[in-house]
């Protein structure tokens, strides 16, 4: 007898096609049978050890979070309801050019310090890996949802070159190429960059192109957080498109927003750029989150010169009066490259989390100027996270309609008051932008969140409700699905998603998290 039959579900299969009523049978982690309109046809209905009545529920493929920061959360928090309760069955981690493999002891310590605001310091974890393959093996011990990994270009540069703002030597470039190749051979699906974060931002386009050639040779994709989302954003997008085309590499633009006052109403210009590239044969996709504020670390706003040499060098410059005044001038007058070339408007910067609990009183407050920001950076040793209220709703809606759009939460799970996108991205798409606003149809939206990302990741048996495909599935109520998380209560779980399966096993059952750890690493599909 089969493991499970889901009866009378309204199947939205991920292809974008119209929904249909069916019984769906699951066995041994895969969809083995789909019987359309079984009750109406009067045919013999399939039986299984468990029968689930899905009347009134939509059955879709599991959602793919194309931009996640769960690199340590997957290991630290077996429950991981932040993503599992949203219907996410696969996360893509190793984002923005900074993560925890490949490393040596020195680089690991530096990276842990640099992205404490994203993932915590990790004192509660045993970092018993150094290579990409070893990190993926660690995930394979059992995690809440599946995870794919991008080789982080900034970490690679830190390992081969260091944190200095200089051109790589030929020997160092050869070492970086080798590290990227090894990561892809060990299962990474591509490479990420954080080109407003050190040390990845110190790489010139020629260096990035050489690394992308390696990625292309393995059939992976390049996922850059490009050099600006503010002043010069369109030029930064165009730079990445040209770079990827030169390298012959597939391109996926991370959190492809148009933010700050200089970009209000300019989403159509970005979409025209993408349409032109696609018409010329480029392989381009993108992801966005359905919110207007951004989220990053407070230290990320600093100018790149102030971040050269790594975290301890940053702290030393902040403590020095002359250097601190130069930083202030770049932030408030010139427009720091860390703040996307736009002079910072402190009233748009809200503290969302701190590393030191003694500083918790700052959480939820807007910054009132550089003196407060400087004191907080020093006291929290760069561990502070922030929301930046700099987005535009019309841009968000325009971009999510594009035919190569996918969903990505960019969810930072650290901090007392994280961005609600970490807990709410996928139900917010379905509840707010589909049901309430009609920006996308239900079938379109599900395709954006399932089959499109699966195609980018080159996963032939995921992203669709099809016989033979893996049973990563979500059952949700289209009348009630909604994000519970808000700016005031950002960790509140969504409503209207009673069942989530990973590899045919229930991780959410009747609205409750089970103890199932069915997630594993999802590794690169070899090039034919």
């Amino acid at each position: 007898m089969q493991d499970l039959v889901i009866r009378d579900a309204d199947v939205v299969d991920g292809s974008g096609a119209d929904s249909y009523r069916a019984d769906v049978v699951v066995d041994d982690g895969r969809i083995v049978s789909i019987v359309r309109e079984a009750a109406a046809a009067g045919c013999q209905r399939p039986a299984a050890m468990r029968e689930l009545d899905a009347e009134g529920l939509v059955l879709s493929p599991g959602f793919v979070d194309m931009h996640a920061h769960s690199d340590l959360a997957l290991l630290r928090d077996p429950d991981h309801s932040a993503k599992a309760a949203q219907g996410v069955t696969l996360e893509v981690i190793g984002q923005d050019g900074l993560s925890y493999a490949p490393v040596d002891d020195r680089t690991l310590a530096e990276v842990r310090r640099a992205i404490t605001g994203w993932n915590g310091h990790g004192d509660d974890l045993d970092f018993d890996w150094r290579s990409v393959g070893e990190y993926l093996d660690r995930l394979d011990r059992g995690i809440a949802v599946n995870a794919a990994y991008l080789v982080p270009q900034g970490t690679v540069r830190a390992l081969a070159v260091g944190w200095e703002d200089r051109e790589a030597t030929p020997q160092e470039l050869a070492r970086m190429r080798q590290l990227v190749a090894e990561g892809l051979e060990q299962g990474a699906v591509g490479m990420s960059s954080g080109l407003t974060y050190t040390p990845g931002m110190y790489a010139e386009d020629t260096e990035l192109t050489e690394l992308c050639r390696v990625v292309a040779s393995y059939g992976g994709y390049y996922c850059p957080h490009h050099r600006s989302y503010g002043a010069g954003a369109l030029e930064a997008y165009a730079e990445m498109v040209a770079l990827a085309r030169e390298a012959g590499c597939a391109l996926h633009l991370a959190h492809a927003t148009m933010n700050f006052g200089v970009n209000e109403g300019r989403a159509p210009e970005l979409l025209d750029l993408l349409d032109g590239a696609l018409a010329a044969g480029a392989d381009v996709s993108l992801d966005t989150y359905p919110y207007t504020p951004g989220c990053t670390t407070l230290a990320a706003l600093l100018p790149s010169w102030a971040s050269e040499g790594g975290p301890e060098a940053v702290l030393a410059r902040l403590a020095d009066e002359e250097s601190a005044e130069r930083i202030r001038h770049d932030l408030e007058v010139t427009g720091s490259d860390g703040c996307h070339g736009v002079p910072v408007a402190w009233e748009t910067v809200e503290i969302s989390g701190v590393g030191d609990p003694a500083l918790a009183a700052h959480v939820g407050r807007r910054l009132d100027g550089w003196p407060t920001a400087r004191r907080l950076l020093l006291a929290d040793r760069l561990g502070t996270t922030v929301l930046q209220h700099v987005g535009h709703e019309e841009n968000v809606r325009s971009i999510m309609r594009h035919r190569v759009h996918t969903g990505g939460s960019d969810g930072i799970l650290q901090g007392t008051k994280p961005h609600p996108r970490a807990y709410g991205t996928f139900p917010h798409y379905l509840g707010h932008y589909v049901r309430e606003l009609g920006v996308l149809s239900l079938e379109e939206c599900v395709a954006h969140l399932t089959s499109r990302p699966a195609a980018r990741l080159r996963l032939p048996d995921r992203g669709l409700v099809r016989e033979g495909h893996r049973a990563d599935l979500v059952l949700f109520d289209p009348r009630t699905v909604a994000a519970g998380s808000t700016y005031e209560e950002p960790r509140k779980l969504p409503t209207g998603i009673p069942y989530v399966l990973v590899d045919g096993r229930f991780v959410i059952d009747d609205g409750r998290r089970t103890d199932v750890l069915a997630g594993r690493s999802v590794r690169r599909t070899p090039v034919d």
Side-chain angles (χ1 to χ4, degrees):
M1 185 173 285
Q2 315 289 358
D3 292 336
L4 170 70
V5 59
I6 302 169
R7 294 206 185 282
D8 294 322
D10 292 321
V11 178
V12 177
D13 68 6
S15 70
D18 291 344
S19 65
Y20 59 87
R21 178 67 64 91
D23 291 355
V24 177
V25 183
V26 173
D27 190 59
D28 195 25
R30 292 190 179 270
I31 299 167
V32 296
S33 177
I34 300 172
V35 182
R36 296 193 181 214
E37 300 290 352
C43 62
Q44 183 174 354
R45 306 187 72 175
M49 287 187 288
R50 176 173 178 179
E51 299 184 4
L52 176 61
D53 181 2
E55 181 70 36
L57 299 179
V58 167
L59 175 67
S60 82
F63 306 134
V64 180
D65 189 342
M66 285 295 287
H67 193 103
H69 289 283
S70 302
D71 307 48
L72 299 186
L74 284 162
L75 302 176
R76 173 187 293 123
D77 177 21
D79 181 82
H80 202 45
S81 286
K83 296 302 178 67
Q86 291 188 61
V88 171
T89 58
L90 171 60
E91 299 184 270
V92 185
I93 56 178
Q95 299 284 354
D96 294 330
L98 288 168
S99 190
Y100 306 94
V103 291
D104 57 14
D105 291 350
R106 170 191 63 82
T107 307
L108 176 60
E110 293 166 344
V111 168
R112 287 176 64 183
R113 172 65 63 82
I115 54 175
T116 293
W118 293 356
N119 297 308
H121 193 261
D123 290 335
D124 53 338
L125 293 171
D126 178 12
F127 288 81
D128 58 352
W129 68 84
R130 292 296 180 269
S131 71
V132 169
E134 290 168 346
Y135 175 69
L136 297 180
D137 288 344
R138 176 71 177 273
L139 298 178
D140 283 342
R141 297 179 195 174
I143 49 181
V145 302
N146 297 311
Y149 189 74
L150 296 166
V151 178
Q153 171 258 329
T155 300
V156 167
R157 199 173 210 272
L159 181 55
V161 180
W163 296 74
E164 291 75 39
D165 183 1
R166 64 173 177 82
E167 184 178 351
T169 68
Q171 293 79 14
E172 289 167 340
L173 180 55
R175 175 62 173 148
M176 285 189 281
R177 287 174 55 88
Q178 178 186 5
L179 290 167
V180 171
E182 289 174 352
L184 291 159
E185 288 171 358
Q186 292 163 12
V189 295
M191 181 181 76
S192 74
S193 284
L195 300 179
T196 64
Y197 301 126
T198 57
M201 69 189 309
Y202 299 140
E204 298 293 333
D205 283 1
T206 51
E207 178 181 314
L208 296 172
T209 300
E210 286 303 304
L211 298 182
C212 283
R213 292 188 200 280
V214 176
V215 175
S217 72
Y218 284 90
Y221 70 93
Y222 180 42
C223 181
H225 164 129
H226 54 272
R227 298 190 193 274
S228 177
Y229 291 84
L234 285 171
E235 292 81 0
Y237 281 114
E239 175 193 8
M240 293 297 100
V241 170
L243 186 156
R245 295 199 69 191
E246 173 68 21
C249 187
L251 176 67
H252 181 83
L253 297 166
H255 37 60
T257 56
M258 294 286 287
N259 287 341
F260 302 92
V262 294
N263 289 317
E264 186 173 1
R266 298 187 71 189
E269 296 176 61
L270 169 60
L271 301 181
D272 286 345
L273 170 67
L274 295 179
D275 286 338
L278 290 162
D283 183 0
V284 184
S285 57
L286 58 88
D287 66 68
T288 67
Y289 46 83
Y291 298 88
T292 53
C295 181
T296 187
T297 61
L298 182 57
L301 306 187
L302 300 177
S304 56
W305 65 263
S307 299
E308 185 179 5
E312 291 302 324
V314 179
L315 291 166
R317 292 186 184 102
L318 288 166
D320 176 73
E321 293 298 332
E322 184 176 347
S323 296
E325 173 56 24
R326 184 183 168 197
I327 293 171
R328 183 205 66 78
H329 186 272
D330 279 6
L331 281 167
E332 297 184 346
V333 180
T334 306
S336 160
D337 51 3
C339 195
H340 307 280
V342 178
V344 67
W346 291 114
E347 69 274 11
T348 68
V349 182
E350 177 186 357
I351 303 303
S352 60
V354 291
D356 184 349
L359 301 169
H362 290 274
V363 174
R365 295 180 180 175
R366 304 286 183 109
L367 286 174
D368 58 8
W370 169 241
T372 301
R374 180 190 177 195
R375 286 195 300 270
L376 192 54
L377 284 163
L378 285 165
D380 207 23
R381 296 187 63 80
L382 312 182
T384 305
T385 53
V386 299
L387 303 185
Q388 274 190 286
H389 295 269
V390 293
H392 306 285
E393 178 66 19
E394 71 275 18
N395 286 349
V396 171
R397 296 188 193 186
S398 294
I399 294 169
M400 73 169 64
R401 293 188 183 103
H402 197 269
R403 65 187 186 279
V404 298
H405 170 267
T406 67
S409 71
D410 195 14
I412 295 174
L413 300 169
Q414 288 296 117
T416 305
K417 196 168 181 273
H419 196 303
R421 69 193 185 195
Y423 284 72
T425 285
F426 296 87
H428 196 51
Y429 268 120
L430 296 168
H432 186 59
Y433 286 96
V434 171
R435 184 180 64 248
E436 296 175 2
L437 298 181
V439 174
L440 295 168
S441 72
L442 180 59
E443 289 84 357
E444 287 174 321
C445 187
V446 168
H448 288 222
L449 307 181
T450 60
S451 64
R452 287 187 189 175
R456 167 53 72 215
L457 295 166
R458 298 179 66 243
L459 302 176
D461 60 353
R462 299 177 193 266
L464 293 167
V465 179
R466 291 282 191 275
E467 292 180 357
H469 277 53
R470 288 189 176 274
D472 293 345
L473 300 169
V474 182
L475 281 155
F476 63 89
D477 187 337
R479 300 159 298 184
T480 63
V481 63
S485 60
T486 64
Y487 294 101
E488 292 72 31
E489 296 183 89
R491 296 185 187 277
K492 192 173 179 181
L493 295 178
T495 58
I497 306 179
Y499 301 99
V500 181
L501 293 88
V502 174
D503 203 31
R505 301 169 66 192
F506 285 91
V507 296
I508 301 292
D509 194 349
D510 197 20
R512 294 183 293 274
R513 178 71 173 96
T514 70
D515 60 1
V516 168
L517 296 176
R520 299 292 186 270
S521 68
V522 174
R523 308 199 185 205
R524 179 187 60 86
T525 303
V527 178
D528 293 335

